[in-house]
Amino acid sequence: MLDDEGTTQTSERSYAPEGGARKAKKRRNPLGIVAVVVVVALVCVGLYVGVSKGVNWVQDQFGSAEDFSGPGTGEVIFEVREGDTSAAIGRGLKEAGVIASVEAFISAATADTRSSKIQVGYYPLRKEMSAVDALEVLVDPANQVKNTVTVPEGLRVVDIVDILAEKTEFSRAQYEAALKDTAALGLPDFAEGNPEGYLFPATYDIGPKDKPKDILAKMVARWRQAADDVQLESRAAALGYTPAELMTVASLVEAEGRGDDMAKIATVIYNRVENPGAGTGGKLQIDATVNYALGRTGTIAVTTDETLTDHPYNTYVVQGLPPGPIEAPGEEAMAAAGNPAEGPWIYYVTVDLKTGETKFTDSYDEFLTFKAEYKSYCTTSDAC
């Protein structure tokens, strides 16, 4: 080879390493190849098992695309619960034997916008229905199986039990037995096991599977909702009373007032309790408490002799608040008890029983004038 200057140059050669000829290329060990194959096979088996289990889990949760045809047979009472999704409803339907698969129900629900408004309640379905037919029942609230019971404000436990026994298939004795299980009712600790005042007045849907304890517990739960709405505990603390005392005041307000007058009546109650030297000597002198002491329901005029009845609930005899509520107050009365009106009033007289017109004063002489007005009204009205 010539270099740049034209001289001859000897080319270099590669030589084998010391020790002789170049080493031969290393041969693979057959055992190693087998080990690799085994590992790969195990990985494949593991993946297959994992995927199979995953598929099986999904199928267990959501079922296959299988679907029944036709309207089904027999009868199933199915409950849709608060917070149920389409998948949850589908799983429940499959478990009850109503539909063949969860997937079929989800597909039907996805295709029907009404499915987003399925209401909580009980529905009459059949075994082995098509998913579409089952959904058609559930989207119509008119299909619900229920018994509607309305409990008005101002009733005592004995009156409420009478209504429930009349409107449901359970007896008075069954409700009275359920009332003894105060833990199951969910009463607040400050009620001290006494349900009087805590069976909230409202309209209730009684489901076909509801038992007396379930119905009564619904009423207490509804009371809890109302108590939270009116901030019962915090309002009681702000006024210097316990929640139990505020509920007692609310029951008296329910018995004595209506509408805008409720907050004024609450004020009269607090003024009488907190100012024993003003007018009534710290006694509430509310006729409804006398009727409660005598075990009488409804609005009944009390006699002078009856106001002398020796009983802890008779506020003509005992100073301050009675030991507990005398009836179930509604949310309006509870709110009024927690938010009394500003005023010096000590007395009030309802001068017109038909309209409920009530007059308030802190003057005893004016109070006597109101009483005379009431008596005059009674001579010309059949409402007294």
Side-chain angles (χ1 to χ4, degrees):
M1 179 180 297
L2 297 177
D3 59 14
D4 292 341
E5 296 178 355
T7 60
T8 303
Q9 189 177 46
T10 304
S11 63
E12 296 183 358
R13 296 180 58 188
S14 297
Y15 293 93
E18 183 179 355
R22 183 181 299 178
K23 291 184 179 179
K25 188 175 182 181
K26 187 176 182 180
R27 298 179 61 192
R28 294 188 179 276
N29 189 331
L31 292 177
I33 296 173
V34 171
V36 171
V37 171
V38 170
V39 170
V40 171
L42 289 175
V43 170
C44 290
V45 170
L47 288 172
Y48 174 79
V49 171
V51 170
S52 296
K53 286 186 176 181
V55 170
N56 289 339
W57 182 87
V58 171
Q59 289 180 339
D60 287 341
Q61 297 298 310
F62 300 104
S64 67
E66 179 184 5
D67 197 7
F68 293 126
S69 61
T73 60
E75 184 178 26
V76 176
I77 299 299
F78 180 77
E79 181 183 8
V80 175
R81 298 179 180 178
E82 190 71 42
D84 276 357
T85 62
S86 294
I89 294 172
R91 287 193 291 271
L93 290 172
K94 185 182 178 184
E95 290 173 4
V98 175
I99 61 174
S101 71
V102 181
E103 189 177 56
F105 182 80
I106 292 177
S107 296
T110 302
D112 192 331
T113 57
R114 296 176 299 168
S115 64
S116 63
K117 298 181 180 179
I118 294 177
Q119 296 184 11
V120 172
Y122 294 90
Y123 295 83
L125 298 172
R126 295 173 177 270
K127 293 279 188 179
E128 300 185 357
M129 299 179 72
S130 71
V132 171
D133 286 343
L135 180 65
E136 193 64 32
V137 174
L138 296 176
V139 296
D140 188 353
N143 290 327
Q144 287 191 31
V145 179
K146 62 184 179 182
N147 179 20
T148 301
V149 178
T150 298
V151 176
E153 293 87 350
L155 296 187
R156 304 173 188 181
V157 168
V158 292
D159 305 318
I160 294 171
V161 168
D162 283 341
I163 291 175
L164 295 176
E166 179 185 352
K167 299 294 185 179
T168 68
E169 61 183 6
F170 304 107
S171 67
R172 162 176 276 280
Q174 288 174 296
Y175 282 107
E176 289 175 342
L179 284 168
K180 294 178 181 178
D181 188 357
T182 54
L185 293 181
L187 290 171
D189 291 340
F190 57 76
E192 298 183 346
N194 182 7
E196 192 74 84
Y198 297 92
L199 301 182
F200 193 77
T203 297
Y204 296 92
D205 290 334
I206 310 299
K209 297 181 182 179
D210 285 337
K211 299 293 187 289
K213 66 179 180 64
D214 302 316
I215 297 168
L216 295 170
K218 282 183 182 181
M219 301 182 76
V220 176
R222 181 63 184 85
W223 166 83
R224 180 69 264 176
Q225 178 185 335
D228 290 341
D229 288 343
V230 302
Q231 301 178 325
L232 179 77
E233 283 86 354
S234 62
R235 291 308 305 155
L239 293 170
Y241 290 81
T242 67
E245 289 172 333
L246 202 68
M247 279 300 296
T248 298
V249 173
S251 73
L252 299 174
V253 170
E254 186 67 62
E256 294 290 298
R258 64 174 72 176
D260 295 338
D261 287 339
M262 284 185 166
K264 291 183 177 180
I265 289 175
T267 299
V268 171
I269 292 171
Y270 291 127
N271 285 345
R272 289 184 182 182
V273 169
E274 296 169 9
N275 301 285
T280 61
K283 296 175 182 178
L284 294 180
Q285 297 183 349
I286 292 177
D287 289 359
T289 65
V290 179
N291 285 323
Y292 187 84
L294 296 174
R296 300 191 306 206
T297 59
T299 303
I300 302 174
V302 300
T303 66
T304 300
D305 288 342
E306 288 170 341
T307 63
L308 301 177
T309 301
D310 184 16
H311 194 282
Y313 276 83
N314 180 3
T315 57
Y316 278 88
V317 174
V318 179
Q319 282 190 331
L321 296 173
I326 62 170
E327 59 187 49
E331 187 166 335
E332 189 176 11
M334 291 168 63
N339 299 275
E342 290 289 337
W345 314 297
I346 298 293
Y347 308 99
Y348 63 90
V349 177
T350 301
V351 297
D352 189 323
L353 298 182
K354 288 185 177 179
T355 65
E357 181 186 1
T358 302
K359 296 185 176 182
F360 297 81
T361 183
D362 60 345
S363 165
Y364 184 70
D365 290 338
E366 191 170 25
F367 166 65
L368 294 178
T369 300
F370 295 160
K371 287 188 69 174
E373 184 178 348
Y374 168 72
K375 289 181 180 179
S376 175
Y377 165 81
C378 284
T379 60
T380 60
S381 173
D382 58 359
C384 298

